[in-house]
């Protein structure tokens, strides 16, 4: 390494101050990749999933803050947060390209070590779905053995989603929304509603008057679109590595992923495009 310029004063004594590794707790993070087999490629499998969970933690951080801003009728700060979520999603989408370098023959060398563990059980992914509006009370059964997680998910299940907050923002601006959709059972999966679609149509037909609501809608569409891309790439990677075998957690694997790949979180923001 070339010598540093004379005017550089690089700190080298960390006996009384915090280092980069201290701040990031790298000793904990980098010691958490514990292989259950001696196969080289299990490290890839672990790191991809751990890194994805870190990105999902940031998604939840941003979605929660964005929902609060929308509920307070303070939309502009939410735009930056939602744009960041879209960028994070792109990272998650690309991670499947790395995992797809794992061949079926390689994966079979350590798959049996996973037991019944499966990405299907990711509680953060479930929290993201709940926050976006895909509510499935039956999903809580997977977490019955972890009371704290079960409680956290139960709270999220019964909270309004970010889309519920957006629909309320439409109402606050004087757009007519079916009252049943402003005070509904938040634990139930959202179903498309004519009054919500008509309200969004008014926004899209008069962008100048409703610019902030229009911008909010497009940010939500970005997220919905990338969620679909993530599911599609997930499905393709799973089929490439294990074909149509059942998932380690008991799901039907690719068949299950094919059923959910076309799910939409914000249906009216898609159906209005045909009517517009």
């Amino acid at each position: 390494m070339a010598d540093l310029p004379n005017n550089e004063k690089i700190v080298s004594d960390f006996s009384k101050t915090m280092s980069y590794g201290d701040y990031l707790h790298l000793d904990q993070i980098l010691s958490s990749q514990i292989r259950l087999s001696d196969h080289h490629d299990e490290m890839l499998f672990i790191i991809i999933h751990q890194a994805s969970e870190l990105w999902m933690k940031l998604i939840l951080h941003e979605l929660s803050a964005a929902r609060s801003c929308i509920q307070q009728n303070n939309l502009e700060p939410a735009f930056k947060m939602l744009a960041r979520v879209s960028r994070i999603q792109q990272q998650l989408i690309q991670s499947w390209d790395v995992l797809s370098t794992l061949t079926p023959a390689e994966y079979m060398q350590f798959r049996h070590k996973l037991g019944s563990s499966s990405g299907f059980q990711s509680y953060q992914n479930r929290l993201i779905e709940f926050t976006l509006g895909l509510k499935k009370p039956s999903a809580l059964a997977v977490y019955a053995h972890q009371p704290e997680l079960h409680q956290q998910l139960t709270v999220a299940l019964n909270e309004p989603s970010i889309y519920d907050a957006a629909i309320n923002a439409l109402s606050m601006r004087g757009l007519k929304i079916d009252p049943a959709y402003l005070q509904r059972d938040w634990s139930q999966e959202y179903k498309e509603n004519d009054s919500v679609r008509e309200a969004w149509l008014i926004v899209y037909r008069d962008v100048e008057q409703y610019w902030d609501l229009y911008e909010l809608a497009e940010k939500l569409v970005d997220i919905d679109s990338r969620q679909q891309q993530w599911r599609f790439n997930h499905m393709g990677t799973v089929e490439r590595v294990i074909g149509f075998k059942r998932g380690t957690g008991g799901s039907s694997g690719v068949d299950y992923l094919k059923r959910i790949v076309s799910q939409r979180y914000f249906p009216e923001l898609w159906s209005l495009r045909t009517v517009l």
Side-chain angles (χ1 to χ4, degrees):
M1 181 183 296
D3 291 337
L4 293 170
N6 291 332
N7 63 342
E8 291 285 357
K9 295 182 179 179
I10 303 300
V11 176
S12 59
D13 180 4
F14 293 97
S15 60
K16 296 181 180 179
T17 189
M18 181 173 61
S19 71
Y20 172 82
D22 296 332
Y23 175 67
L24 296 177
H25 297 279
L26 291 181
D27 55 340
Q28 297 175 39
I29 293 173
L30 298 180
S31 63
S32 297
Q33 294 71 49
I34 302 171
R35 291 183 292 166
L36 299 181
S37 74
D38 60 1
H39 196 275
H40 174 84
D41 292 316
E42 189 182 356
M43 184 66 75
L44 162 69
F45 191 82
I46 292 171
I47 288 176
I48 285 288
H49 288 86
Q50 287 183 342
S52 295
E53 291 292 335
L54 285 172
W55 283 125
M56 284 191 277
K57 183 172 184 176
L58 185 54
I59 285 177
L60 287 166
H61 178 70
E62 299 296 340
L63 284 179
S64 178
R67 178 176 57 187
S68 294
C69 287
I70 297 167
Q71 290 171 329
Q72 296 164 19
N73 199 30
N74 186 21
L75 301 188
E76 289 193 3
F79 300 156
K80 176 66 176 292
M81 298 164 189
L82 296 176
R84 183 174 290 157
V85 169
S86 297
R87 297 294 182 90
I88 298 167
Q89 289 174 302
Q90 197 60 43
Q91 293 291 324
L92 290 170
I93 291 166
Q94 292 173 350
S95 72
W96 294 119
D97 291 339
V98 183
L99 189 57
S100 68
T101 64
L102 180 68
T103 70
E106 292 163 347
Y107 184 45
M108 288 305 111
Q109 295 299 310
F110 63 87
R111 186 177 190 247
H112 62 286
K113 295 289 188 178
L114 304 181
S116 298
S117 65
S118 166
F120 180 81
Q121 299 148 14
S122 167
Y123 78 90
Q124 290 199 125
N125 186 50
R126 196 67 63 194
L127 283 171
I128 290 170
E129 290 183 341
F130 286 180
T131 305
L132 293 177
L134 184 60
K135 304 291 186 74
K136 292 186 180 298
S138 60
L140 295 180
V142 175
Y143 311 97
H145 67 297
Q146 297 173 293
E148 290 186 7
L149 286 184
H150 190 277
Q151 176 61 24
Q152 185 180 355
L153 285 155
T154 300
V155 170
L157 181 72
N158 288 281
E159 287 179 334
S161 71
I162 196 166
Y163 194 48
D164 291 318
I167 291 169
N168 189 63
L170 292 171
S171 178
M172 290 177 65
R173 290 289 288 275
L175 297 167
K176 188 176 180 181
I177 302 293
D178 181 349
Y181 272 65
L182 297 174
Q183 294 294 331
R184 64 186 189 86
D185 182 352
W186 309 123
S187 71
Q188 298 303 305
E189 188 172 349
Y190 181 83
K191 301 295 184 183
E192 189 167 3
N193 177 264
D194 290 342
S195 72
V196 174
R197 184 174 56 254
E198 288 303 313
W200 284 124
L201 275 169
I202 291 170
V203 170
Y204 273 74
R205 285 170 173 156
D206 193 350
V207 172
E208 185 173 344
Q209 180 178 349
Y210 299 105
W211 175 260
D212 54 348
L213 291 170
Y214 170 72
E215 182 71 7
L216 173 61
E218 285 298 295
K219 289 289 187 290
L220 292 174
V221 169
D222 287 343
I223 290 172
D224 207 342
S225 179
R226 281 177 171 77
Q227 279 294 102
Q228 186 177 33
Q229 292 175 50
W230 182 83
R231 289 191 295 264
F232 182 83
N233 284 24
H234 184 188
M235 178 190 70
T237 302
V238 171
E239 184 173 0
R240 176 171 178 162
V241 176
I242 68 167
F244 285 82
K245 293 184 181 69
R246 294 193 71 83
T248 48
S251 74
S252 57
V254 171
D255 284 337
Y256 167 76
L257 295 172
K258 283 186 174 180
R259 289 198 302 271
I260 66 169
V261 74
S262 60
Q263 285 177 339
R264 298 293 194 188
Y265 293 97
F266 319 125
E268 294 89 355
L269 295 180
W270 293 97
S271 61
L272 72 80
R273 283 155 162 76
T274 303
V275 181
L276 192 63

